[in-house]
């Protein structure tokens, strides 16, 4: 489980890192490319869970995303803890 591993490459507390202009996107992309390559080399024997603000547009990245906490175009959002679990 990796919690916000790319945080150092963004300004403090970005709301949506995909819209940050001064982020180090080359480093962020290289980081996630490495994770993707390691997961593929292990042929399904390694699970990598990442919670991060980064949301790369590349298809290989989007194919690896299981859930996204950002609202969709209609304003619906997923949450790590389902809303019906909360009081």
């Amino acid at each position: 489980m990796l919690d916000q591993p790319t945080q150092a490459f963004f300004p403090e507390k970005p709301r949506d890192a995909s819209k940050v202009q001064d982020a180090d996107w080359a480093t962020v992309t290289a980081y996630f490319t490495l994770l993707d390559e390691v997961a593929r080399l292990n042929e399904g024997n390694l699970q990598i869970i990442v919670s991060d603000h980064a949301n790369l547009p590349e298809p290989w990245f989007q194919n690896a995303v299981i859930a996204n906490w950002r609202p969709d175009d209609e304003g619906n959002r997923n949450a790590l803890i389902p809303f019906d679990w909360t009081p």
Side-chain angles (χ1 to χ4, degrees):
M1 171 67 188
L2 303 170
D3 183 25
Q4 300 182 33
T6 65
Q7 186 175 19
F9 306 110
F10 296 106
E12 188 176 342
K13 296 184 180 179
R15 181 153 193 258
D16 182 350
S18 65
K19 297 178 182 173
V20 174
Q21 297 299 315
D22 58 347
D24 187 347
W25 286 109
T27 301
V28 169
T29 301
Y31 180 85
F32 281 107
T33 299
L34 175 63
L35 292 178
D36 182 63
E37 290 171 356
V38 168
R40 290 180 190 280
L41 284 172
N42 281 276
E43 300 176 339
N45 294 313
L46 175 68
Q47 180 182 37
I48 301 173
I49 301 171
V50 180
S51 173
D52 207 320
H53 293 277
N55 189 20
L56 304 177
E58 286 83 355
W60 60 265
F61 184 91
Q62 292 300 313
N63 290 337
V65 173
I66 302 301
N68 193 327
W69 52 266
R70 290 186 187 87
D72 62 18
D73 292 338
E74 289 81 42
N76 302 311
R77 62 173 57 227
N78 292 318
L80 182 60
I81 299 172
F83 291 113
D84 60 348
W85 289 15
T86 60

